[in-house]
C-alpha cells in the first residue's frame, strides 16, 4: 500500500533535515481530525542550520507543525524559525491552512536565514 508522497522542498546547502513528515497533501477536515494521520504529531518538519567545523553549533532551526494539533477550525500549518536550539527565541512565526503558502514560507526562510 502506498501513502502520500513527501512534499518536495528546495533546501539550501547546509540545512540538515532532522524530521520530515510533511506530505504533499492538502489538508482536509477529515484528515486533520484523524488521531493518526498525515497532520498528527508534534512536528511535521524539523530542520537545522549548523556552523561548520568540529563543534557544529546550531545557528538556526525551523519547525513545522499543525497547530493546534487535530483542530481544523482553529488550526493550520505553523512555521517557526528560531535562533540556535531555542524555540522560544523566534525569528518568525507564520500560520496558514494553505500547504502551498506554508511551503513558500519554508523555502523563503531557509534561503533568508542561510545568507
Amino acid at each position: 500500500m502506498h501513502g502520500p508522497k513527501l512534499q518536495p522542498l528546495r533546501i539550501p546547502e547546509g540545512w540538515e533535515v532532522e524530521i520530515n513528515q510533511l506530505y504533499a497533501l492538502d489538508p482536509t477536515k477529515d484528515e486533520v481530525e484523524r488521531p493518526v494521520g498525515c497532520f498528527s504529531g508534534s512536528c511535521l518538519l524539523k530542520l537545522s542550520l549548523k556552523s561548520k567545523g568540529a563543534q557544529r553549533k546550531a545557528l538556526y532551526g525551523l519547525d513545522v507543525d499543525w497547530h493546534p494539533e487535530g483542530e481544523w477550525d482553529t488550526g493550520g500549518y505553523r512555521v517557526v524559525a528560531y535562533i540556535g536550539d531555542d524555540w522560544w527565541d523566534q525569528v518568525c512565526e507564520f500560520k496558514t491552512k494553505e500547504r502551498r503558502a506554508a511551503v513558500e514560507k519554508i523555502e523563503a526562510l531557509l534561503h533568508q536565514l542561510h545568507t
Side-chain angles (χ1 to χ4, degrees):
M1 180 173 170
H2 299 284
K5 294 183 180 190
L6 290 174
Q7 172 64 49
L9 294 169
R10 292 176 293 214
I11 301 173
E13 182 180 345
W15 284 93
E16 294 180 13
V17 178
E18 298 177 22
I19 297 171
N20 188 3
Q21 296 178 335
L22 182 63
Y23 294 100
L25 179 69
D26 290 322
T28 64
K29 183 175 181 7
D30 289 341
E31 186 63 39
V32 167
E33 293 179 348
R34 282 181 51 203
V36 178
C38 294
F39 298 91
S40 62
S42 60
C43 187
L44 301 176
L45 180 68
K46 182 175 182 63
L47 299 113
S48 63
L49 179 64
K50 296 185 178 174
S51 62
K52 296 180 180 178
Q55 302 258 331
R56 307 276 301 147
K57 181 182 173 191
L59 301 174
Y60 293 101
L62 188 137
D63 290 3
V64 179
D65 63 356
W66 185 273
H67 183 79
E69 185 178 346
E71 294 291 327
W72 172 255
D73 294 332
T74 59
Y77 289 105
R78 179 174 60 172
V79 180
V80 178
Y82 49 92
I83 297 173
D85 290 325
D86 186 359
W87 191 89
W88 297 106
D89 195 1
Q90 295 181 1
V91 175
C92 176
E93 182 173 339
F94 175 78
K95 194 168 179 181
T96 181
K97 270 191 172 37
E98 302 295 324
R99 177 177 53 93
R100 289 180 192 210
V103 168
E104 288 174 7
K105 189 64 168 182
I106 292 164
E107 291 181 342
L109 284 168
L110 293 178
H111 287 282
Q112 178 184 357
L113 297 172
H114 187 264
T115 55

